[in-house]
Amino acid sequence: MSGAQERITDALYGLGWAGVKKLPEPVAGRLGRTIADAVWKKRGKGVLRLEANLARVVPDATPEHLARLSKAGMRSYLRYWMESFRLPTWSKERIRNGFTPEDVHHLVDGLAAGKGVVLALPHMGNYDLAGAWVTTKLETPFTTVAERLKPETLYDRFVAYREGLGMEVLPHTGGAAFGTLARRLRAGGLVCLVADRDLSTSGVEVKFFGEPTRMPAGPAMLAQQTGALLLPVTLWYDDSAIMRGRVHPPIDVPETGTRAEKTSVMTQALADAFATGIADHPEDWHMLQRLWLADLDTFEERPA
């Protein structure tokens, strides 16, 4: 991306945060759906990639069904953005009532045990809203990791936004994040990680909807090294203004095997939990990038 393109990108995001948050919620919702439908009609690269990914999630879907799913997926994706632009203006009551997770006792009990908890999520629903709910409803701060975006000013916007919601944000690059996350967990803290797409060179190969891909090793390695509980979480929308979610049962550390073997088994279990949630609500999985190894056919397209 050129310097001019980076400045334009940053300006557009800045306009979104400045403008959309001033809109009444119903107006912002309609605007999001209008933008989503317009983008979907253009059939650009992101929409086509989303459809190709959904074809693996719903292999028996007809082209018409995939088109409907991708349209719903773009509406879900723009709902995420409209909510995110407005989230800093939401009252604490609105945040507490804006998310209803199932089986949250896994998280509450894990925190009460004092050994630390790792929440691992796919790109579903609005994980920023889920995080704000944790810091507001459960009154529990947590640490997360953010991908370094270009331009740097855009990354700074996202960090400031998430820190404003009560999160500690560490950069993905630089190598120091893992040690900091481990310290937070050993102190009994909470770590939340989006973990369905590998952004490193150390991902673990897993089977995901029947085909190989790589997912981050971090959640499993942190659980092994610190004794923290590893909990998968999936999120989705329904027809209401409330986001839904599920905290899945803990993924245990295998009793035998090398560290690499244990990490592989745990990451596969994580992928299986993600697949369960995504299969139930495919339209709320916002994966507009290449994911499966068969699709990563050029060096430039591989996660970096």
Side-chain angles (χ1 to χ4, degrees):
M1 187 183 293
S2 70
Q5 288 174 316
E6 289 182 356
R7 288 191 295 273
I8 292 170
T9 299
D10 183 53
L12 289 173
Y13 278 101
L15 180 63
W17 263 298
V20 173
K21 69 181 180 182
K22 297 178 182 178
L23 297 175
E25 194 162 336
V27 175
R30 287 195 297 271
L31 176 62
R33 290 190 293 274
T34 299
I35 295 172
D37 290 351
V39 172
W40 179 81
K41 277 187 176 180
K42 289 182 69 175
R43 310 289 293 161
K45 185 165 61 174
V47 172
L48 294 177
R49 174 47 48 194
L50 174 63
E51 237 168 68
N53 290 338
L54 289 171
R56 286 181 165 96
V57 175
V58 191
D60 296 330
T62 63
E64 293 76 18
H65 185 194
L66 280 177
R68 289 194 298 271
L69 270 182
S70 67
K71 184 175 184 179
M74 291 307 297
R75 286 190 168 197
S76 175
Y77 186 47
L78 263 294
R79 176 173 172 175
Y80 158 74
W81 279 112
M82 293 296 129
E83 285 182 348
S84 295
F85 288 144
R86 291 178 45 77
L87 200 50
T89 69
W90 284 16
S91 67
K92 290 185 177 180
E93 182 180 6
R94 176 70 179 88
I95 291 172
R96 285 193 292 264
N97 295 331
F99 177 44
T100 304
E102 301 171 4
D103 298 329
V104 74
H105 65 89
H106 291 306
L107 171 58
V108 174
D109 294 347
L111 291 171
K115 293 184 178 180
V117 175
V118 179
L119 293 180
L121 306 89
H123 287 79
M124 288 188 80
N126 188 340
Y127 35 83
D128 290 325
L129 172 55
W133 184 89
V134 168
T135 61
T136 304
K137 175 78 171 181
L138 301 185
E139 299 182 340
T140 301
F142 66 88
T143 304
T144 189
V145 174
E147 178 184 359
R148 276 207 175 274
L149 302 171
K150 294 293 184 180
E152 191 75 13
T153 50
L154 180 57
Y155 170 77
D156 292 340
R157 284 185 191 274
F158 273 96
V159 170
Y161 158 65
R162 287 173 175 147
E163 287 179 342
L165 298 175
M167 312 174 193
E168 179 188 22
V169 183
L170 306 176
H172 180 270
T173 55
F178 188 91
T180 302
L181 295 174
R183 287 193 294 274
R184 300 292 183 269
L185 292 169
R186 291 191 180 102
L190 175 64
V191 165
C192 300
L193 301 171
V194 180
D196 58 342
R197 182 168 176 254
D198 180 41
L199 295 174
S200 71
T201 57
S202 58
V204 177
E205 187 168 318
V206 295
K207 281 292 184 69
F208 193 51
F209 291 101
E211 291 192 44
T213 186
R214 292 190 184 94
M215 291 189 179
M221 292 178 64
L222 284 166
Q224 288 181 66
Q225 293 193 22
T226 68
L229 199 66
L230 176 56
L231 297 174
V233 178
T234 51
L235 309 171
W236 65 92
Y237 293 121
D238 57 19
D239 293 330
S240 74
I242 299 171
M243 185 175 71
R244 310 294 176 177
R246 180 189 175 198
V247 182
H248 295 251
I251 293 175
D252 296 327
V253 178
E255 295 183 359
T256 60
T258 64
R259 177 180 296 179
E261 289 169 343
K262 292 178 180 179
T263 299
S264 178
V265 170
M266 295 173 71
T267 306
Q268 182 62 64
L270 197 61
D272 292 342
F274 290 167
T276 298
I278 292 167
D280 287 341
H281 305 280
E283 67 278 6
D284 293 312
W285 185 44
H286 307 149
M287 185 54 66
L288 279 70
Q289 297 83 24
R290 296 177 186 268
L291 182 72
W292 281 272
L293 299 186
D295 294 333
L296 301 177
D297 51 10
T298 68
F299 177 82
E300 289 79 13
E301 290 168 335
R302 290 183 181 275

